Amino acid sequence: MNFYQILRSAHSGWRYLVLILLVLAVVQALAGWLGKKPYTEGNRKLNVFTLIFVHTQILFGLILYFISPLVEAGIRYWKMEHIGMMILAAILVTVGNARSKRIEDGTGKHRIIALYFGLALIVIVAAIIAMVKADPSRTFWGVS
C-alpha cells in the first residue's frame, strides 16, 4: 500500500465518524432546542469533537485533492463538486460552532448548532450520494 491508498482509506473510513458525530450533535441540539434544555458542558464537548473530526476529514481530503489521480484526470465531480461541497460543510460546522459561543441563552445555542450542523450534514450526505452517482463502483456505505 502506498501513501495515496492509505490516505484514501483513512478518508473513506473517517467519514463514518464524522457522520455519526454530526447526527449525534444535530439530534442533541434539536432535543435541546425543542425541549428548551440548558446547554451543558457535554453539549459543548460533542460540538467541539464534531468540529475537530470534520476539520481532520477536510485535511485528509485536501491532501488527497493534490495527489489524487482522479483530480489529475480532470474528473469534474472530484475536481470541483466534491471538494466544494465538503469545504462548504466544514464552513457551516465552523461558523455554527463559533456563532453558538456568542449566544448566552442555552436554547439559542442549541438552535444555532441544530441549524448549521444540520445543513452541513445535508450537504455531506448529498455529496456522498453524488459520489455514488458519479462513480458507480462506489457505494454510500462501502469503503472505497
Side-chain angles (χ1 to χ4, degrees), residues 95-108:
V95 170
N97 190 59
R99 286 196 66 202
S100 74
K101 290 179 183 178
R102 292 188 214 130
I103 297 174
E104 296 296 322
D105 175 40
T107 304

Side-chain angles (χ1 to χ4, degrees), residues 14 19-20 23 30 33 43 55 75 89 93 97 102 105 108 117-119 124 131 136 139 143:
W14 198 260
L19 287 170
I20 289 167
V23 167
L30 283 171
W33 175 23
N43 298 130
H55 284 185
I75 298 172
V93 169
N97 190 59
R102 292 188 214 130
D105 175 40
F117 282 34
L119 286 172
I124 289 171
M131 173 192 67
T139 65
V143 177

Side-chain angles (χ1 to χ4, degrees), residues 6-81:
I6 292 169
L7 194 56
R8 192 177 95 180
S9 292
H11 184 66
S12 185
W14 198 260
R15 76 176 159 196
Y16 299 113
L17 299 172
V18 169
L19 287 170
I20 289 167
L21 285 171
L22 267 173
V23 167
L24 287 173
V26 169
V27 167
Q28 189 178 68
L30 283 171
W33 175 23
L34 300 175
K36 296 184 178 21
K37 296 179 181 176
Y39 189 81
T40 66
E41 182 64 15
N43 298 130
R44 187 193 68 76
K45 285 181 181 177
L46 176 60
N47 296 337
V48 169
F49 278 114
T50 303
L51 176 77
I52 290 167
F53 275 65
V54 167
H55 284 185
T56 303
Q57 181 73 338
I58 284 292
L59 180 62
F60 289 159
L62 287 172
I63 294 168
L64 279 171
Y65 184 80
F66 291 106
I67 66 172
S68 174
L70 296 172
V71 174
E72 289 176 16
I75 298 172
R76 187 183 120 191
Y77 173 75
W78 297 109
K79 195 166 187 157
M80 304 296 288
E81 295 170 21

